[in-house]
Amino acid sequence: MTPTQRLHVVPSQFAVEYLPEATFPEDDEWIVLVRAPEGLTVVREVPAWVEGERWVGFYGDAGRGRDVRGVVDPLGEAGIAVFVASTYHADLVLVPEERREEAAAVLREAGHQIVG
């Protein structure tokens, strides 16, 4: 059986922004930057008072390996949009805030442990 992951629910909420003309954000209040030929994608924490689309995150324990079952496939099969930022140790998997509980249930059904 393929090992599963222990995923932590990140307590913050996030915004995913697209800056077509930027090569770097004007501030340093970002969590993730992805620069591509068509522009810059920025992920940042969103204060509770800011309106707009919100994402919530699941972050795996350090030490994942190639043999560990992923989280993106079950979420995609359930029709849940994802935005993934990979680090050396784990992936930060963002899902739309309004689908958080559904995403957690899908991940549990896939065998993953959800903490938080």
Side-chain angles (χ1 to χ4, degrees):
M1 183 167 126
T2 304
T4 57
Q5 296 186 54
R6 179 178 155 117
L7 301 166
H8 299 269
V9 177
V10 179
S12 301
Q13 294 180 346
F14 302 93
V16 178
E17 302 172 332
Y18 170 61
L19 306 174
E21 303 300 320
T23 58
F24 202 80
E26 294 180 9
D27 59 32
D28 61 355
E29 299 297 318
W30 49 269
I31 304 293
V32 176
L33 297 178
V34 180
R35 188 174 13 192
E38 65 275 5
L40 185 68
T41 300
V42 180
V43 176
R44 58 178 87 235
E45 280 190 60
V46 178
W49 50 268
V50 173
E51 293 185 27
E53 183 179 63
R54 293 175 181 276
W55 297 73
V56 295
F58 297 92
Y59 190 73
D61 277 344
R64 69 182 168 115
R66 294 171 123 182
D67 61 338
V68 173
R69 184 177 302 156
V71 300
V72 173
D73 287 345
L75 293 171
E77 289 168 8
I80 299 172
V82 298
F83 184 91
V84 180
S86 296
T87 71
Y88 182 82
H89 296 288
D91 297 326
L92 172 62
V93 179
L94 301 178
V95 299
E97 176 188 36
E98 66 273 7
R99 304 216 44 202
R100 173 187 169 169
E101 294 305 318
E102 180 185 0
V106 165
L107 293 170
R108 282 187 193 98
E109 187 175 310
H112 300 290
Q113 180 183 6
I114 308 297
V115 179

